[in-house]
Amino acid sequence: MSSFTFIDYAIFIVYILGTALVGAWFGKKQKSTKDYFLGGRSIPWWAIGLSVMATQASAITFIGAPGWGYDGGLTRMTTFINVPLAMAFLIATIVPFFYKTEVYTAYEYLERRFDVKTRTLTAGLFLIARGLATGVVLYAPALVLSVVTGLDVNVTIILMAIIAVSYTVLGGISAVIWTDVIQMVVLWIGAGLSVFVIFQNVPGGWGEVMSTASDAGMLQSLDFSFDLSVEYSIWAGVIGGFFLHAAYFGTDQSQIQRVLTSKSIRESKLSLVLSGVLMIPQMLLFLLIGVLLYIFYQYAGDPNIDNLNELFPRFVVNELPVGISGLIMAGVFAAAMSSLDSALNSLSAVSVRDFYSKFFKKNASEEHYLKASRYATILWGIYATVFAFFASNLGPVIEAVNKVGSYFYGALLGVFILAIFTRRVNGSGAFAGVIAGMISVWMITAFGNVSWLWNNFVGAVVAVAVGYAVSLLFKAPSAEKVEGLTINMQNKNVQLAVKSRSEAASTVEEVEEAKDTKRWPIYLVIYFFIVIAFLLYLQNL
């Protein structure tokens, strides 16, 4: 068994410094909050798509998913099989709508459609939810660094925070996206090398691996039980998970911000198609690594770990060749930095756009707001650091991130559904719907025996039902609160916005091609059924 050598440390340090320099280079080009938060709306679709995947996964997937696979096989695959369906829904509805309204944050739209209190509430909930999840994102690479160096994890949390916050303050959304592209490639290479090494050390090859995994029940991923308490049933995954990912990719500012950086509506949709297609094989790969590690340690002996999040990092450091370990650990570390800086960038955007410039410092210069954005990034970095100290008590990090969000995102999705798809709902109804949605999630969590995957479904349904019902007790919204702000209506201002965005695109023909994207959601639905068929095949080996 090898260990982390001088060569590994050298590669690790050079790689991290190189990533930080990329962020600093992009930082020099930022002249306004539009550059800092939206990248001048000039990022290509494929880079956005990979960045979406990196923000959702990156180091969290690299660390958490193999632990999932080691502990429960492919069971938790049901959490992600719904992603193509969620992307199909967003491509057909919410994504083009947000793009046309040309907002900086999703919550700006809610003020236009409803009122200030609804915008403030939803923006505040995003700050809480994403702020807490960012603490988990910070904990993940700090754990890796702890495993590699032997330092206490609390020390590495602080070191990681200092590096990541410094890099984020210099960077911007452009730096976030382009470094994400690099990190995804490195992580995939690392995953491939890890699979190769495991196979080299397990007698019998692929046939023996699959036979052992099947006998141990680790290829069972689809549980058709109708029991709501079954945590990863296919119904919880398809229905509850659909609402989870529709809410995350459709209402979370860290994701909506990606959509708003693209050159055209067509490229926004393409980026989500790419994510919808690749996210499932990526998760399957990392879960299979966990399964392979289970089989590997049947021959190699007990891995002797106290925390499943340490499983894969320890394997990489102890079993992979010198130099490769350093590169992979650097990739994990830098990928986590990318996830962290994207979260901090979106938290800063909401803090400045939805609160600071709205209530505290109106009509200031772009230079002032850019400086305020960087200060906000530092404050959120401190907040995430404090929460990271408690993240080790939340279980596997990838599950912890999703569970934190499940208390908020269902209700947020519900209010956006009310805003975009109804005309009768007013600000009072929307506000009440959000509160009711969160209370409902707390109640089923505290008093029910229901899989957490249903939380977002319950929160969204209750928010929609209560929001609509309460709206009937108050006056209907005025024409200006509805016209052009629901999905079936567009006023002249929105049409002019579309025209101006068309002229800003690389070519006018590119915008015209957006009309040909109507079939893409159908293709994603077909892809979903292909995934189900493949998982059934694995299950019956």
Side-chain angles (χ1 to χ4, degrees):
M1 296 212 308
S2 62
S3 60
F4 220 60
T5 66
F6 174 79
I7 295 176
D8 292 316
Y9 276 111
I11 293 174
F12 184 90
I13 293 171
V14 169
Y15 190 81
I16 297 302
L17 289 176
T19 304
L21 288 174
V22 169
W25 183 78
F26 277 103
K28 291 180 179 180
K29 302 171 66 176
Q30 296 160 7
K31 305 299 182 183
S32 67
T33 53
K34 183 177 181 180
D35 295 330
Y36 193 70
F37 295 135
L38 300 181
R41 286 179 169 154
S42 61
I43 309 296
W45 64 269
W46 56 270
I48 297 171
L50 291 177
S51 180
V52 167
M53 293 179 62
T55 303
Q56 165 69 10
S58 70
I60 297 296
T61 297
F62 202 90
I63 294 170
W68 262 5
Y70 181 88
D71 183 52
L74 303 185
T75 303
R76 292 173 175 87
M77 193 65 206
T78 52
T79 307
F80 298 90
I81 58 176
N82 57 79
V83 170
L85 300 180
M87 294 303 190
F89 169 73
L90 295 176
I91 288 169
T93 56
I94 294 179
V95 165
F97 186 81
F98 271 134
Y99 192 87
K100 292 173 184 177
T101 56
E102 290 199 313
V103 293
Y104 275 67
T105 74
Y107 318 108
E108 289 182 54
Y109 160 73
L110 291 180
E111 180 180 358
R112 298 184 195 176
R113 174 63 180 85
F114 293 129
D115 51 28
V116 174
K117 70 176 183 294
T118 304
R119 174 185 180 178
T120 303
L121 173 64
T122 53
L125 291 176
F126 163 76
L127 293 179
I128 295 171
R130 180 50 49 193
L132 295 176
T134 302
V136 181
V137 172
L138 175 57
Y139 168 74
L143 175 65
V144 172
L145 195 57
S146 175
V147 170
V148 170
T149 63
L151 294 173
D152 182 79
V153 69
N154 291 330
V155 174
T156 58
I157 285 173
I158 296 173
L159 290 174
M160 178 67 201
I162 293 172
I163 296 171
V165 171
S166 300
Y167 160 79
T168 306
V169 169
L170 291 174
I173 196 66
S174 296
V176 169
I177 290 174
W178 287 112
T179 53
D180 282 350
V181 172
I182 299 171
Q183 317 318 338
M184 290 308 299
V185 173
V186 172
L187 286 177
W188 288 336
I189 291 173
L193 288 172
S194 300
V195 170
F196 176 78
V197 171
I198 295 173
F199 272 118
Q200 293 296 309
N201 288 276
V202 174
W206 177 255
E208 179 66 20
V209 165
M210 297 308 291
S211 175
T212 304
S214 180
D215 291 342
M218 303 196 78
L219 301 182
Q220 304 294 312
S221 59
L222 303 179
D223 186 336
F224 291 90
S225 171
F226 288 100
D227 186 349
L228 296 180
S229 66
V230 175
E231 195 159 21
Y232 297 104
S233 72
I234 189 171
W235 314 114
V238 173
I239 301 174
F242 169 84
F243 279 83
L244 165 67
H245 287 112
Y248 176 65
F249 291 110
T251 70
D252 188 294
Q253 177 63 21
S254 67
Q255 300 304 315
I256 290 298
Q257 214 164 314
R258 299 293 194 283
V259 173
L260 299 179
T261 64
S262 64
K263 300 176 182 178
S264 65
I265 295 176
R266 183 177 185 274
E267 293 214 355
S268 295
K269 293 180 178 181
L270 270 172
S271 68
L272 293 185
V273 169
L274 180 66
S275 300
V277 170
L278 293 183
M279 201 168 290
I280 287 180
Q282 173 180 264
M283 184 54 58
L284 183 60
L285 171 63
F286 281 98
L287 286 174
L288 280 173
I289 287 175
V291 173
L292 293 174
L293 287 175
Y294 173 84
I295 297 169
F296 172 80
Y297 284 116
Q298 299 300 304
Y299 295 94
D302 194 327
N304 294 317
I305 56 170
D306 298 321
N307 188 329
L308 284 176
N309 296 323
E310 300 177 13
L311 178 71
F312 195 36
R314 287 193 182 278
F315 172 82
V316 169
V317 171
N318 293 330
E319 304 295 340
L320 294 187
V322 172
I324 299 298
S325 297
L327 180 62
I328 295 175
M329 285 297 97
V332 174
F333 193 77
M337 288 172 63
S338 295
S339 295
L340 183 58
D341 65 21
S342 62
L344 294 178
N345 188 268
S346 62
L347 288 165
S348 175
V350 172
S351 299
V352 172
R353 296 285 303 185
D354 294 296
F355 289 94
Y356 183 71
S357 65
K358 180 72 177 176
F359 300 110
F360 300 100
K361 191 74 173 181
K362 298 181 180 180
N363 303 318
S365 66
E366 277 296 314
E367 182 180 358
H368 175 85
Y369 287 134
L370 181 58
K371 185 180 294 185
S373 301
R374 288 182 166 138
Y375 280 123
T377 301
I378 294 172
L379 292 176
W380 280 111
I382 295 172
Y383 177 93
T385 302
V386 173
F387 185 71
F389 292 132
F390 304 97
S392 61
N393 300 321
L394 298 178
V397 289
I398 188 170
E399 187 172 287
V401 169
N402 288 324
K403 284 186 174 181
V404 167
S406 71
Y407 283 91
F408 305 91
Y409 286 134
L412 287 176
L413 177 62
V415 76
F416 278 100
I417 290 173
L418 289 171
I420 295 173
F421 296 97
T422 72
R423 299 185 61 192
R424 179 61 180 83
V425 176
N426 51 42
S428 297
F431 190 90
V434 175
I435 299 298
M438 289 191 300
I439 292 175
S440 67
V441 172
W442 173 78
M443 289 182 66
I444 65 167
T445 302
F447 304 108
N449 183 23
V450 179
S451 168
W452 67 271
L453 282 170
W454 290 105
N455 288 356
N456 293 277
F457 170 77
V458 172
V461 170
V462 171
V464 169
V466 172
Y468 200 91
V470 171
S471 292
L472 298 178
L473 303 177
F474 297 89
K475 184 179 179 181
S478 60
E480 60 267 21
K481 284 292 185 184
V482 177
E483 185 180 2
L485 295 175
T486 57
I487 201 165
N488 60 342
M489 297 181 64
Q490 287 186 340
N491 60 13
K492 294 181 180 179
N493 291 333
V494 174
Q495 292 174 7
L496 289 173
V498 174
K499 183 179 179 181
S500 67
R501 294 289 286 120
S502 300
E503 294 170 350
S506 299
T507 62
V508 175
E509 290 79 8
E510 184 179 28
V511 176
E512 292 298 323
E513 289 175 0
K515 298 177 182 178
D516 300 327
T517 64
K518 292 183 179 180
R519 293 184 180 179
W520 292 357
I522 298 175
Y523 298 150
L524 285 171
V525 172
I526 294 173
Y527 177 64
F528 162 78
F529 285 106
I530 293 174
V531 169
I532 294 294
F534 177 72
L535 292 176
L536 283 172
Y537 165 75
L538 284 181
Q539 193 158 304
N540 289 287
L541 284 178

